[in-house]
Amino acid sequence: MKYLLGIDVGTTGTKTLLFREDGELLGSAYRGYPLSTPQVGWSEQNAEDWWQAIIETVREVLSGKDIAADVAAISLSLQGGTFVPVDENGDPLRPAIVWNDSRCEAEREAYLKEVGDADSMYQKTGWKLGKAMLAMTIRWMKDHEPELFAKTAKFLSVPDFVSLRMTGIAAADLSDLGNDQLCDIRREAYDEAILKFDGITEDKLPKIVHSGDMIGHLTEKAAEALGLTTNTVLVAGAHDQYAVSLGAGALNNGDILIGSGTCWVVTAIGDESDFESGLAQSVSAVPGKWGSLLSLSSGGVCLDWLRKNVAVGADGAPMDYVSINEEVAKRKAAENGLFFYPFSGLSEKNKRFSKASFVGLDLSHDRFDMARAVMEGVAFQIVWMMESFKAKPSKEGLKLAGGASKSPLWCQMVADISGLPVRIPAVADLACVGAAIMAGKGSGVYSSVEEGYRRLAVADRVLMPNAEQSAVYQPLFAQYKARAKALGEVYSL
C-alpha cells in the first residue's frame, strides 16, 4: 500500500493531509505563520516559515505510523506570485514579497514605458499588469536593493523555493509561473522582453514543468527533516485555485468551481484558452485543459462587515452566522425592492464598482433584510460573472466550496439564481486533495488525474434549483443588472 501527501502552502498557513492510495484520509495538520507590513502597501513573509510549517505538519501526520518508506509522493497547492530571492545555498536573502504587496507603482509605470502597454503582459502571462508579482518585484529589488540583487543566485517563488529545499532542483509549474508574470504560458517559455526589463537571465530562474510532472526524489537532508526517506518523490503541484478545482473534480470543459471566502473566486475549466475575455488565464492542473478565473474580492467581506457593524446582538457583539441564516430565511429582499451591490462588483461587463451600495432601502427594512440583500447581491454577482466565461456550465451544475458552503440558504440562492444544481463538497481542504491527486499521478500510483480523483473522490451533497424561486429571481436579476449600470454611472460623476 502506498501513501500520498497533499500540502497547501497558503498565505497565512500550511495544511498537510496524508492519504492512503485507496483514498482513506489518515491525518491532517496545520501551522499558521504571520505576514508583516513594514510600510504602507508592503506585505512580506519569512520564507523559512513555509519550510518549517511543512516539516512540522508532515511529521505530525506521520506520527505513530510506520509508513515513511511507503510514502510514494508529495505535491503542493501554492500561493502564486510571491517572490523570494535566494543565495547559492538556497537560503533567502530577504523577506519574501507576498503576492498582495502593492509597492511597485513606479515599476509598473516603467514597464509601460520600456516594454509595452498593459495588454502585452496579459497576452503573455494570462494575468493583468499589477503592482506586484515577480516581474515587478524583481525589478523593484534591482532598483532599490542592488547589492542583494547582485548576490541573488535564483529568483524564486513558493513552488520553486520548496522544490529546491526538497529535491535540490528549483522547478515551478506553469499554472504558477503565469501568475509570476515571467513566462509566456502559450509558448511555455520565459519571455525575453520581461526578463530584459528585470535585468535577469533564464539561468537565474526555475525549470518549467507541468502540474503532475515528477521533479525528483527527496534529498537525504530533506528526507531526514521531514521524517521520510529518499524513496519519496516531489511532484509538481499547482496554483491554489487550480489545486482546489482538481480536488473538487473540476476536470472537464464547462466544470465551474465557486470558491467562497473573504474573496469569492469563479474558476472555469475549458478545452482552450480564452484571452479574448480579459479574464485571468492559466494552464490548469488537468493535462490539456485551461482555466479562466474571475474574482469578487469582497464576496465574504460584505457579510462580515454587516454582522460586525449592523447586524449586532444586544451586547454589541457581531451576530453569529447561525442566527443570521435563521432570520434571513424568513425575509425577502430583492422581492421587496432591496438590492445590494458589493465592493468590486460588476456595474456592467468589464466595469467595476469601487464602493458598495444598498439600493431600495425602506423604513420597513431591518438588519436581516439587509443581510439577505447582501447574500443575494453576492449570488447575483457570481452568476453574472459566469456569463463572461467562454466555457459554459455543464449540466452537472456548479461546485461551491469554502465558507459559504456551510450556509444551505446562500448555496440555494446561487442554485435558484443560476437555475443550476449546486454541488457542495464534504471536505473543506480541497487544495490538499488536489495536491494528493497530482502526487499520485506524477509518481505512477494513479494512471491519470481522473483516476486519482475517482480514488480520492470527495463526497458532495447537491442542492437542486427551486423552479418556483428561479422564476421569481429571473426578472429580479434583470433589474439588478439594470440598476447596477445606472449606479455605475452615478459613481462616475
Side-chain angles (χ1 to χ4, degrees), residues 426-450:
V427 173
D429 303 309
L430 291 171
C432 295
V433 176
I437 291 170
M438 289 181 280
K441 185 263 185 183
S443 61
V445 172
Y446 306 134
S447 62
S448 64
V449 293
E450 289 80 7

Side-chain angles (χ1 to χ4, degrees), residues 71-140:
V71 175
I74 300 170
S75 191
L76 305 107
S77 161
L78 303 136
Q79 52 165 302
T82 293
F83 168 52
V84 53
V86 301
D87 62 18
E88 291 287 350
N89 298 316
D91 295 324
L93 288 167
R94 71 171 324 281
I97 301 177
V98 182
W99 61 270
N100 58 359
D101 191 281
S102 60
R103 74 184 66 185
C104 296
E105 177 63 44
E107 287 67 33
R108 186 182 188 280
E109 292 303 314
Y111 178 89
L112 295 175
K113 291 178 181 178
E114 297 176 26
V115 182
D117 60 21
D119 189 57
S120 70
M121 179 66 80
Y122 172 70
Q123 292 298 329
K124 293 172 182 178
T125 70
W127 292 77
K128 293 184 178 179
L129 179 63
K131 301 175 185 177
M133 309 309 179
L134 270 67
M136 297 300 107
T137 50
I138 291 174
R139 175 63 179 257
W140 180 91

Side-chain angles (χ1 to χ4, degrees), residues 2 90 94 206 266 275 297 319 342 384 387 414 460 479 483:
K2 296 297 183 182
R94 71 171 324 281
V266 183
F275 282 83
S297 61
M319 186 71 75
W384 191 3
E387 295 176 4
V414 175
D460 58 27
Q479 289 181 37
R483 295 184 185 196

Side-chain angles (χ1 to χ4, degrees), residues 358-392:
F358 285 96
V359 174
L361 194 61
D362 185 81
L363 288 173
S364 65
H365 294 138
D366 64 12
R367 54 188 174 171
F368 297 112
D369 294 297
M370 296 172 73
R372 184 174 182 105
V374 168
M375 295 170 80
E376 287 180 336
V378 170
F380 280 136
Q381 285 285 333
I382 289 298
V383 177
W384 191 3
M385 285 162 53
M386 291 190 325
E387 295 176 4
S388 300
F389 290 90
K390 187 174 186 178
K392 300 308 177 186

Side-chain angles (χ1 to χ4, degrees), residues 307-320 323 367:
R307 60 183 285 270
K308 290 178 179 177
N309 296 284
V310 179
V312 296
D315 58 356
M319 186 71 75
D320 64 89
S323 299
R367 54 188 174 171

